[in-house]
Amino acid sequence: MDLVNLFKKTPLVYISLAFIFGLILGEFFSSDLGVIILFTIGLCLLFTKKDTIFVFGILVCLLSFGAHRMQTTLILQNHYKSVANEFHDNIVAYQGDIAEIKQTKKGFKYRLHLFDFQNIDIWLYQKTRLNCDISDTLIGQGEFQRISPARNPGEFDFQSFYNRRNIYGWIFPDKNEHVTILKNNHFHFGRFISEIQEKIRTHFNEHAPGDAGGLLSALILGDKSDVAPDIRDSFVNTGVIHVLAVSGLHVGYVLIVLLLIKNMFRLPWGLDRIVVILGLIIFVILTGGKASVIRASIMAGLYVMAPVFNRSANIWNIIGGAALGILCFRPMDLFDLGFQLSFLAVGSIIFFYNWFETVLPDKLKVSKISHKALQFIWGLFLVSLAAQVGTLPLTSYVFGKLPLIALIANVLIVPLIGVLVGIGFFLLFLGWIPGMGFVLGNSAWLISKIITFFTHTFSMFSFSTININFSLFLVVIYFLVLGSMVFLFDKRKRKYGLYIIIIVLNISVWKWSFNDRKLDVIFLDVGQGDAAIVRLPNKKVMLIDTGPRSRYEDMGKDVVLPLLNHLGINKLDWVVMTHPHSDHIGGLVSIVNEIEIDTLWDTFIPYTSRTYQTIIDFADSNGIIINRPRSGETKRLSENVYLLVLAPDSLFAVTERNVNNASIVFKLVYGETSILFTGDLEHEGDELLIPYQQLLKSDVLKVAHHGSITSSTDAFLDLVNPALSVISVGWKNKFRHPSPIVLERFRSREIDVHRTDLNGALWIQSDGKNIKEVKWN
Amino acid sequence: MRLIKDIYYLLLDFIYPNKCIVCKRFVGHNDRSICSSCWENFDEMPKQNMVKELSVNDGIDSAFSSWNFKNGFDDVIHYLKYNDMAKLGKELGYRLGKNITPGDFQSIDSITAVPLHRVKYRDRGYNQAEWIGKGLADIWQIPFDKKILKRNRFTISQTTLNKEERQANMANAFSVEKDVKDKSILVVDDVLTTGSTTSACAIVLKNAGAKQVHVLTLSAPSISEN
């Protein structure tokens, strides 16, 4: 009976949870029969007279709905994905209607809806702006590329992100490829909206000088593209970037404005909230239907409609309703970071704010503070804290960073943003009045100046962000500890808190004793170049090569450092420069400035590139030890991991004119498992290794020189005889690596080949006995 | 019809679980917002004309009130006034109309409510007294006319004032907008304290030629405590 009452209190919370569990179930199991059985069971339970069983029936039914919804969505998505894979890299003819136009760094991208082809969307890249608008039809030809999945662990997964939005690929027109534009002369809702957005944007830019125009567009239209990059960075570093991404906060401000407007219209009670509902709908459409905006708008709508039904709204139930509403129509949003953060934030604000109000001493309770301004600031601080408490594990799991200053920054920035949103709306509606536009525009300018002053100042503190990384395990532990704290403060439920703590301790000890004996090796996808991270069982880290750096890309900054951050690595114990070519050491230039390095391994060969010299100078002036290992040396890295240096032979390396043959080559051994790293060694070097004979035998081979024909001789491969080989190579590189002949050598020996250009990074893990692949995407 | 209604309430209860506004326990699948045990708990006043007991009663022929302003009924009034719960007024009006019947008054031709000033009306979005009046009119089948009285002046809150100050505060606050000649008017309000507000209404109505003016409110503070 108690259960039924609990359900009755907030039915939508339990219903949406059941639906969400169903969605997750559907993600892992795809059985139609299972869904039917589940649904039938649920249906049967509905025909009982016992309330408890009836409630279970409802939940089981919803569970089966969720599973079914996810299964059908996944089937469709996988079908489109396979279509995209099929057409990947082919020249295709396309015809589609423009749904969205966006400016990118390198040109423009048009989102085309391909009515005649599977109903999917693609991005069409164009260097210049075409003379066309949303809903016009574009016809042409170009090379189709599927959306690439994440290349390295921790990287943002654009494939899932775009696939959730029904976008499955890119089309790059050939040079001089002609695009035919068929104008649409009929009314089109999407175009109408985009025209309004454009008008509002120009209106803001006309009236609000400086950065204010861009900020207003971001706040009211949810379009950050007009905000200057340095301002955006300062918002990121201070942890207030969320105010620039339209979210529930902005809906809150809009609601305040709408409630003021509502009362001006003097409509009869009940009808008056049509103003609010319409306003919210317009705001949702104008900002492009983001999950967080829809969530907050549904909540606000349900809230203002409650009195019409002579009821009062329960906030938790309304959150459940909003989740259910969104997930019914867009089930894949469950995996969307925006969706997750939005619900996590609103949930933890409500829960922890109330919790603070009960456990804090009376003096610190917001409701007990008499000074109005003080009450406001303290309240805002607690709201900000409450939001952080709940979202911290997720944000640090995803971004690997915790902006400490965010707590204080939010207290200052959030109300200022509110003022700016208010001014923005007045400017929007009253800006056409002569003089009014000037006054409002300039006050917007002033407020945005104050805001950017704060964010710039805050982001200058070096302690403002700390790098922490939550593994999934830590996220669970964090919430368990949080839960136990809440229980411990409640006298009646204290025992539950103790239970949780005991469970947490148990899990931790268990995890400690079992899990810490693994060697991790990640071969990164750094395009045309090499980079691998080795993490020893004792958590010491070796970085072997660092990827290329050129005028266009810096793999050290863009790939290696983010991955080190993601893994929570703050110190590199060894960095191996297998040889000083820039596709192997280029990335190190950025890395040395960001992360502490203990020892640097270098070859004997004299080299004079600026990249190399920069690194050596940096090492010299910062006390980094430089080692030059030579063949025959054994290095013990930790208790049970050692490394056998096979090359270079110092004499050979110095006399050899080919720098590649100076590469440091070594075999990393952990227990019975071994991995051979070969740098860019070519066949002259290969030959020198042959005398090692059986010592060359390894489980995994990092293929030399990106699979070039000049390396990986038959004799060498026969001796190494790996089960798995890794070719670190860029997609369609100008050297045409890897060579088909070399690939044939692997194939004939039945050696598995992992190519980073095709499959992204490879993460393998050894327990000393076996090596297995770690799935990271 | 019955089935449709059941389904409607079932769905409604999913979105807005029907909790009693006083005790927060479940009311059930219906339109009521106060549970029956809370209704029983309210202190019902003896059904008697209390016009003699009012500190200000000029112009009022009879005055009735139904529940004492305590035992949770104070919460109800708070909900009614400040939580955007206009419909609660109608619900309470039904209940009031069953407790006190037209027969308790000499005669009633028309029902009206104590008007709110338009600024206050705009802030609140509705006049709670008007919604009580609508409920009464529905159940008694007597016409309700909200436009009989009009508030001309913004009056400050009565709660901190004494009797004389309340009377002064209310002087010339109302005017009559409709023909009330020889009619008996029932003026409805939420709470009856000293009677100064309703009396001000009654005086202008009488001056406009009304035959009788009766007053009915949901609640009044217990006379003894006053």
Side-chain angles (χ1 to χ4, degrees):
Chain A
M1 235 5 247
D2 208 16
L3 203 80
V4 175
N5 267 328
L6 213 63
F7 176 79
K8 272 185 179 169
K9 234 182 196 168
T10 52
L12 289 184
V13 171
Y14 300 102
I15 285 177
S16 63
L17 282 179
F19 190 72
I20 287 170
F21 278 125
L23 291 177
I24 295 169
L25 211 64
E27 162 89 5
F28 291 110
F29 306 101
S30 59
S31 149
D32 287 337
L33 191 69
V35 169
I36 293 169
I37 293 173
L38 215 60
F39 181 67
T40 320
I41 294 173
L43 216 57
C44 291
L45 296 181
L46 287 183
F47 286 98
T48 53
K49 287 216 169 107
K50 214 162 173 244
D51 277 358
T52 322
I53 296 172
F54 183 81
V55 167
F56 268 115
I58 293 177
L59 295 182
V60 171
C61 279
L62 261 296
L63 193 78
S64 68
F65 288 159
H68 177 70
R69 190 78 181 85
M70 181 54 81
Q71 282 170 11
T72 48
T73 315
L74 275 181
I75 287 170
L76 210 62
Q77 208 180 66
N78 288 335
H79 167 69
Y80 291 148
K81 251 189 199 167
S82 69
V83 170
N85 282 338
E86 194 185 313
F87 282 89
H88 185 53
D89 251 349
N90 287 334
I91 303 291
V92 294
Y94 62 85
Q95 168 171 4
D97 292 359
I98 304 172
E100 202 178 333
I101 304 173
K102 281 210 161 160
Q103 193 165 3
T104 65
K105 271 180 221 159
K106 292 173 192 160
F108 292 87
K109 56 180 187 182
Y110 294 79
R111 180 172 162 185
L112 294 190
H113 187 69
L114 309 177
F115 281 107
D116 298 329
F117 186 74
Q118 310 266 2
N119 252 332
I120 60 169
D121 292 9
I122 51 103
W123 287 118
L124 173 71
Y125 170 76
Q126 287 286 321
K127 214 172 236 158
T128 49
R129 181 85 157 86
L130 295 169
N131 180 26
C132 60
D133 228 319
I134 282 174
S135 83
D136 292 344
T137 308
L138 297 184
I139 304 170
Q141 229 187 70
E143 192 187 86
F144 179 81
Q145 299 269 319
R146 66 172 180 184
I147 294 192
S148 148
R151 311 298 303 173
N152 291 289
E155 243 169 51
F156 187 75
D157 186 359
F158 277 102
Q159 190 180 45
S160 309
F161 179 77
Y162 280 131
N163 287 357
R164 280 199 290 272
R165 283 157 185 72
N166 201 35
I167 302 172
Y168 286 87
W170 282 88
I171 288 178
F172 298 95
D174 304 341
K175 284 183 192 109
N176 306 322
E177 177 55 55
H178 180 68
V179 180
T180 313
I181 302 167
L182 297 181
K183 283 275 174 199
N184 172 22
N185 295 320
H186 300 287
F187 173 80
H188 185 267
F189 186 68
R191 185 170 56 192
F192 174 66
I193 295 298
S194 87
E195 277 165 10
I196 292 179
Q197 286 172 334
E198 197 50 46
K199 277 206 180 108
I200 294 175
R201 201 195 325 274
T202 43
H203 181 83
F204 282 148
N205 283 331
E206 256 170 40
H207 289 96
D211 302 319
L215 278 178
L216 284 175
S217 298
L219 294 176
I220 289 168
L221 297 174
D223 178 12
K224 275 181 285 197
S225 56
D226 282 351
V227 180
D230 66 310
I231 294 180
R232 228 187 293 184
D233 284 346
S234 72
F235 273 70
V236 172
N237 292 334
T238 30
V240 291
I241 186 69
H242 66 95
V243 302
L244 287 190
V246 168
S247 65
L249 178 73
H250 304 78
V251 177
Y253 292 136
V254 170
L255 186 66
I256 293 172
V257 175
L258 284 173
L259 288 174
L260 284 175
I261 296 174
K262 177 198 95 170
N263 290 346
M264 283 179 206
F265 274 95
R266 316 191 102 237
L267 287 166
W269 183 90
L271 272 179
D272 53 356
R273 41 223 77 205
I274 283 176
V275 177
V276 179
I277 304 285
L278 279 180
L280 288 171
I281 291 173
I282 291 171
F283 189 66
V284 167
I285 293 173
L286 272 185
T287 51
K290 287 174 62 181
S292 53
V293 178
I294 297 178
R295 183 223 88 213
S297 298
I298 292 178
M299 285 177 63
L302 286 175
Y303 202 82
V304 296
M305 285 309 286
V308 174
F309 299 98
N310 198 17
R311 299 273 167 101
S312 37
N314 176 299
I315 187 80
W316 292 108
N317 202 49
I318 282 178
I319 292 177
L324 194 66
I326 293 172
L327 291 176
C328 272
F329 292 99
R330 308 199 316 212
M332 287 314 236
D333 269 15
L334 184 61
F335 307 111
D336 188 275
L337 183 66
F339 175 91
Q340 294 163 353
L341 276 179
S342 180
F343 278 90
L344 212 52
V346 71
S348 65
I349 285 173
I350 293 161
F351 182 81
F352 285 106
Y353 184 83
N354 286 331
W355 188 65
F356 292 147
E357 279 292 279
T358 52
V359 297
L360 281 176
D362 269 356
K363 262 188 198 162
L364 293 176
K365 279 180 185 164
V366 177
S367 50
K368 297 276 162 63
I369 293 173
S370 50
H371 193 282
K372 273 271 181 282
L374 219 60
Q375 187 185 34
F376 179 75
I377 291 169
W378 181 239
L380 211 60
F381 176 78
L382 286 187
V383 166
S384 169
L385 184 68
Q388 298 275 338
V389 165
T391 54
L392 183 138
L394 188 58
T395 47
S396 69
Y397 175 67
V398 176
F399 304 113
K401 267 184 192 168
L402 173 67
L404 278 184
I405 204 86
L407 277 177
I408 302 160
N410 271 298
V411 175
L412 283 168
I413 303 293
V414 166
L416 284 170
I417 289 290
V419 175
L420 198 56
V421 170
I423 294 175
F425 275 103
F426 279 110
L427 184 61
L428 197 57
F429 296 120
L430 307 174
W432 50 272
I433 301 171
M436 206 62 167
F438 179 80
V439 172
L440 288 168
N442 279 290
S443 43
W445 171 82
L446 182 70
I447 300 289
S448 60
K449 259 277 173 281
I450 299 171
I451 291 172
T452 50
F453 169 77
F454 278 133
T455 55
H456 279 302
T457 316
F458 281 136
S459 63
M460 271 190 285
F461 295 125
S462 59
F463 59 85
S464 63
T465 55
I466 53 170
N467 288 343
I468 49 163
N469 182 264
F470 274 63
S471 60
L472 205 57
F473 172 74
L474 264 180
V475 173
V476 174
I477 294 289
Y478 176 90
F479 278 117
L480 284 176
V481 170
L482 217 58
S484 71
M485 279 215 339
V486 172
F487 281 131
L488 284 178
F489 270 96
D490 188 337
K491 278 200 187 87
R492 284 167 305 159
K493 293 177 181 159
R494 195 158 278 176
K495 59 174 183 212
Y496 298 120
L498 289 174
Y499 293 158
I500 294 177
I501 286 181
I502 290 165
I503 292 170
V504 167
L505 284 175
N506 253 321
I507 298 174
S508 308
V509 170
W510 181 78
K511 170 119 178 149
W512 216 266
S513 50
F514 278 87
N515 202 30
D516 268 357
R517 304 246 159 259
K518 298 256 165 64
L519 172 86
D520 289 288
V521 180
I522 303 171
F523 299 94
L524 281 71
D525 177 6
V526 285
Q528 181 64 12
D530 267 27
I533 295 170
V534 177
R535 187 162 57 178
L536 306 179
N538 66 358
K539 301 296 169 210
K540 286 199 171 184
V541 178
M542 174 181 259
L543 177 65
I544 304 159
D545 289 334
T546 60
R549 189 171 92 132
S550 68
R551 212 164 353 132
Y552 309 104
E553 55 179 17
D554 179 351
M555 286 300 174
K557 186 171 158 239
D558 296 341
V559 175
V560 182
L561 278 173
L563 179 52
L564 292 174
N565 266 336
H566 175 74
L567 296 171
I569 293 169
N570 300 315
K571 186 190 170 194
L572 295 168
D573 299 279
W574 305 274
V575 174
V576 182
M577 305 193 286
T578 58
H579 66 293
H581 277 156
S582 80
D583 59 333
H584 289 249
I585 64 162
L588 193 51
V589 177
S590 307
I591 295 170
V592 288
N593 288 310
E594 293 291 328
I595 211 164
E596 188 192 338
I597 296 172
D598 190 78
T599 310
L600 197 60
W601 289 9
D602 191 12
T603 60
F604 292 96
I605 203 150
Y607 202 69
T608 51
S609 79
R610 219 171 66 196
T611 306
Y612 178 70
Q613 211 48 56
T614 313
I615 293 164
I616 294 299
D617 290 347
F618 184 92
D620 283 343
S621 55
N622 286 277
I624 297 173
I625 305 159
I626 298 181
N627 269 351
R628 294 179 208 281
R630 65 178 74 207
S631 61
E633 280 178 23
T634 319
K635 305 232 174 207
R636 184 170 282 273
L637 298 184
S638 75
E639 203 184 327
N640 35 26
V641 179
Y642 71 92
L643 182 152
L644 188 62
V645 183
L646 305 173
D649 178 312
S650 53
L651 240 168
F652 173 76
V654 178
T655 51
E656 174 68 30
R657 290 233 298 279
N658 186 344
V659 175
N660 284 341
N661 276 327
S663 289
I664 300 174
V665 177
F666 57 84
K667 182 173 156 182
L668 183 72
V669 183
Y670 175 43
E672 297 163 15
T673 59
S674 55
I675 302 162
L676 187 62
F677 290 88
T678 55
D680 269 2
L681 198 69
E682 299 194 25
H683 59 86
E684 298 88 348
D686 273 15
E687 279 160 29
L688 286 182
L689 297 182
I690 301 296
Y692 282 109
Q693 290 292 320
Q694 280 312 306
L695 267 180
L696 288 178
K697 168 78 189 90
S698 303
D699 300 313
V700 179
L701 167 69
K702 202 293 296 177
V703 177
H705 202 192
H706 324 288
S708 156
I709 182 70
T710 54
S711 307
S712 307
T713 56
D714 283 305
F716 178 71
L717 287 186
D718 281 335
L719 285 173
V720 179
N721 192 21
L724 172 67
S725 60
V726 184
I727 302 179
S728 193
V729 65
W731 177 243
K732 284 193 170 175
N733 60 79
K734 61 183 175 195
F735 311 102
R736 296 177 181 247
H737 292 154
S739 146
I741 298 165
V742 170
L743 289 177
E744 180 52 37
R745 286 179 198 155
F746 286 103
R747 214 169 57 85
S748 64
R749 288 174 175 77
E750 293 182 340
I751 300 168
D752 286 338
V753 174
H754 180 100
R755 286 172 59 171
T756 58
D757 59 341
L758 298 181
N759 299 310
L762 174 72
W763 183 335
I764 54 174
Q765 197 172 59
S766 163
D767 58 2
K769 286 207 169 75
N770 295 300
I771 293 181
K772 64 170 205 281
E773 189 181 338
V774 177
K775 263 190 81 71
W776 51 265
N777 54 354
Chain B
M1 204 53 215
R2 175 71 211 245
L3 185 73
I4 293 171
K5 220 170 181 180
D6 280 353
I7 292 172
Y8 167 77
Y9 281 122
L10 200 72
L11 287 178
L12 191 62
D13 284 344
F14 272 115
I15 302 168
Y16 303 117
N18 196 8
K19 282 195 296 183
C20 170
I21 56 172
V22 184
C23 68
K24 314 289 178 203
R25 276 195 291 257
F26 275 98
V27 181
H29 306 297
N30 53 45
D31 240 347
R32 293 192 288 275
S33 33
I34 300 164
C35 68
S36 39
S37 71
C38 278
W39 272 117
E40 276 166 30
N41 199 28
F42 295 150
D43 188 19
E44 202 170 304
M45 295 166 71
K47 197 154 96 181
Q48 60 179 38
N49 184 356
M50 45 191 266
V51 68
K52 294 271 153 36
E53 290 138 50
L54 293 173
S55 351
V56 186
N57 56 12
D58 306 331
I60 303 174
D61 292 289
S62 69
F64 284 89
S65 204
S66 212
W67 294 279
N68 263 321
F69 197 68
K70 61 178 190 186
N71 286 9
F73 206 81
D74 39 349
D75 291 343
V76 175
I77 297 293
H78 192 273
Y79 254 90
L80 174 64
K81 282 169 92 160
Y82 303 111
N83 281 30
D84 202 16
M85 300 281 281
K87 279 206 168 161
L88 178 60
K90 211 165 179 181
E91 187 188 343
L92 294 167
Y94 289 147
R95 199 83 189 198
L96 181 64
K98 279 178 188 159
N99 236 7
I100 290 172
T101 56
D104 295 323
F105 304 94
Q106 274 177 309
S107 71
I108 300 172
D109 296 318
S110 196
I111 305 172
T112 192
V114 174
L116 272 184
H117 188 262
R118 62 185 168 80
V119 174
K120 213 164 191 181
Y121 187 90
R122 205 179 56 199
D123 287 349
R124 197 172 287 173
Y126 60 99
N127 176 3
Q128 71 281 4
E130 195 181 304
W131 285 78
I132 302 167
K134 279 183 195 165
L136 282 173
D138 269 8
I139 212 141
W140 286 352
Q141 295 294 314
I142 292 176
F144 173 81
D145 191 345
K146 67 173 179 182
K147 286 185 175 157
I148 291 177
L149 285 165
K150 189 187 166 205
R151 201 168 196 130
N152 300 319
R153 220 156 43 73
F154 190 81
T155 50
I156 57 169
S157 174
Q158 299 264 62
T159 45
T160 55
L161 306 179
N162 64 28
K163 179 188 155 190
E164 283 76 24
E165 284 167 337
R166 284 186 181 204
Q167 255 180 308
N169 190 23
M170 278 299 153
N172 304 322
F174 302 99
S175 62
V176 178
E177 301 285 300
K178 290 257 175 108
D179 179 26
V180 291
K181 214 164 180 64
D182 294 327
K183 279 187 182 165
S184 298
I185 309 290
L186 178 73
V187 179
V188 178
D189 204 356
D190 49 355
V191 185
L192 185 65
T193 320
T194 57
S196 51
T197 311
T198 41
S199 165
C201 293
I203 290 168
V204 288
L205 283 167
K206 283 275 168 75
N207 289 344
K211 191 169 71 186
Q212 289 171 12
V213 176
H214 306 286
V215 169
L216 178 57
T217 68
L218 288 175
S219 176
S222 343
I223 307 293
S224 54
E225 287 164 25
N226 205 13

